[in-house]
Amino acid sequence: MKFTRLFTAISGAILLTSATLSHAATELVVATVNNGHMVEMQKLSKHFEDANPDIKLKWVTLEEGVLRQRVTTDIATKGGQFDVMTIGMYEAPIWGKKGWIKDLTFDDAYDVGDILPAIRDGLSADGKLYAAPFYGESSMLMYRKDLVEKAGMDMPDNPTWDHVAEVAAKITDKDNGVYGICLRGKPGWGDNMALITTMANTFGGQWFDMDWKPQLESKPWKDAVGFYVDLMSKYGPPGSASNSFNEILALYNEGKCGMWVDATIAASFITDPAQSKVADKVAFAQAPTKATPKGANWLWAWALAVPESSKHSAEAQKFIEWSTSKDYINLVAKEEGWSKVPTGTRASTYANADFQKAAVFASAEKTAIDSANPNDSTLPKSPYTGVQFAAIPEFQAIGIAVGQQLSSALAGKMSVDDALKASQVSAEREMQRSGYFKK
C-alpha cells in the first residue's frame, strides 16, 4: 500500500514536471532586421519572457536584404521557420490578401486607433490589420548645420535637389574625409531603390503608366538617375555603391557626411551623443524636391506579423501586442530615455511632452510622415499605390533587378542610359510575363 502511494506520488511528480517543461518549451522564432531599434527590442525582451515564463524567444537577426529574401521564401513555400516576421508596408497588404499572414486583433487597452492613420492603413487590407508597426518612418534631409553655416549657406525647411547639390559642393572637404552628401547605393528594392524612386517621383517620373508599361527610360528617370550618379560621384564617399542605411549611419556618426537623405528613424541615432560624434551639430529638413513635391519622401514601417504557417500563433500575437504597445514605448523611455523610443507609430508618442523635449527631430519627422501619400505619389497618374515602391507582387523582383543596374551605374561600371535601358527590358519582361500588358 505504501509502495503504491509512493509510486503514485512519484509518477504524479514526473508527469507534473514533464507537463511544466513541455509548457515552458513554447519557442517563438522571431525574424527581424539588424537595425538599432530591433537590437534594443531583443535586449528588452527579457521583460516579456519574465512576464510570460511559458514563452521563450529565439531571434534570427538579419541584414535588411537577407531578411526580405528569407521571409519571402518562407512565406511563399509555407516553410514554417518563423512565428513572428518583420515585414513592411509592401508585404503586409499583399500577403494579407493572399492569406499568407494572420489578421491581428488586440484588446481596447492596446488602442489601435492611436496608431498613425498613414501607417495603420499601409499595414491593412480590406479593413483588417495584418501587421503591427514596431516603428514607422518617412524620409528627410539630415544635415550638419555647422558645415552649412561655415560655408555661408542656408538650408530651408523644404529644399530642392538643386540647392542640395550647391550645398554639397561647398561643404565637401575630401582632404579631411568629409563628404558633402551620403546616399544609399547598395542594390535592392528596399535599399537604393527606396531613395532613387523618391527622386524619380519628384523629378516627375513613375514606375508604370496607366497601361502598366514601365517608364524607366522616360526623361524624368534619366534626369533623376543622372543627377544622383553625378551628385554622388562628385561629393559622395568612395564605395557608395555598397552603402545602405547602416553603413551610412556609421559614416555620419563619425562626422564624415555633410548631408544625408534617408529614413527619419536615423534621427534618433545621429542625435545620440553616446554613438554620434556630431550629435549636437545636426539639423533637419524635408526631403528635397524637383519638379513636384509628390512622392519626394517615402512612407514605411517595419512591422511584426504572424505567418499562417506558425504553430504558435496565439503566443506570437501576444509578443507582438507587447512589443508594439504604448507600454513598450514607455519601457524604452524608462530604460534608455525618450530620445531612444521607436517612433513613427503612435500619436500619443508625439503628444508626449517628454518626447518632444528629448527628440529634436520630432516635428520634422511627423511632418514628413503626415505628408507622404501612397495614393497620390506621382505627378502623372499611376495605376499603383506606394511611394517608394509599387504595391504589386511583381515589384519585388523588378526592384531588385533595377537596383542592381543602377548600383552598377553608380560604381562606374556602366552608363546611366545603359543601366536604365537594361532596367526597362527587365521590367517589361516581368510585367508581360505576369500578364499586365502585351507588347
Side-chain angles (χ1 to χ4, degrees), residues 111-163:
D111 194 3
V112 171
D114 185 49
I115 299 174
L116 298 176
I119 301 295
R120 185 176 66 245
D121 292 347
L123 297 170
S124 301
D126 301 324
K128 296 179 179 179
L129 184 69
Y130 283 99
F134 182 69
Y135 71 79
E137 65 185 43
S138 183
S139 54
M140 65 182 177
L141 174 67
M142 297 160 278
Y143 66 97
R144 289 274 302 278
K145 57 187 177 183
D146 60 323
L147 297 181
V148 173
E149 290 171 2
K150 183 179 178 181
M153 304 287 284
D154 66 347
M155 184 62 67
D157 289 337
N158 294 280
T160 65
W161 274 110
D162 290 331
H163 183 71

Side-chain angles (χ1 to χ4, degrees), residues 143-148 252 258 270-271 276-283:
Y143 66 97
R144 289 274 302 278
K145 57 187 177 183
D146 60 323
L147 297 181
V148 173
Y252 201 101
I270 62 176
T271 56
S276 174
K277 294 180 178 179
V278 294
D280 61 340
K281 299 177 175 64
V282 181

Side-chain angles (χ1 to χ4, degrees), residues 23-78:
H23 192 51
T26 300
E27 182 180 75
L28 293 183
V29 182
V30 184
T32 194
V33 68
N34 64 341
N35 289 349
H37 284 306
M38 272 62 177
V39 173
E40 184 69 26
M41 174 172 60
Q42 293 176 50
K43 186 174 74 173
L44 294 177
S45 64
K46 68 180 188 305
H47 293 274
F48 174 80
E49 291 181 321
D50 288 345
N52 298 274
D54 56 334
I55 301 175
K56 298 300 176 187
L57 303 173
K58 180 180 178 181
W59 296 90
V60 179
T61 306
L62 303 165
E63 183 270 336
E64 188 171 314
V66 178
L67 172 76
R68 288 191 167 109
Q69 292 171 1
R70 288 279 300 275
V71 299
T72 299
T73 299
D74 188 72
I75 203 80
T77 61
K78 299 180 180 178

Side-chain angles (χ1 to χ4, degrees), residues 11 14 21 33 46 58 60 85 89-90 98 107 131 155 196 208 212 258-259 275 324 331 349 386 388 390 421 429:
S11 298
I14 291 172
L21 289 173
V33 68
K46 68 180 188 305
K58 180 180 178 181
V60 179
M85 289 179 165
M89 298 178 79
Y90 169 70
K98 287 179 176 289
D107 60 27
M155 184 62 67
I196 294 173
F208 309 103
W212 287 106
M259 292 181 289
Q275 57 182 300
T324 62
L331 174 64
T349 301
Q388 76 279 20
K421 182 176 182 179
R429 184 186 305 118

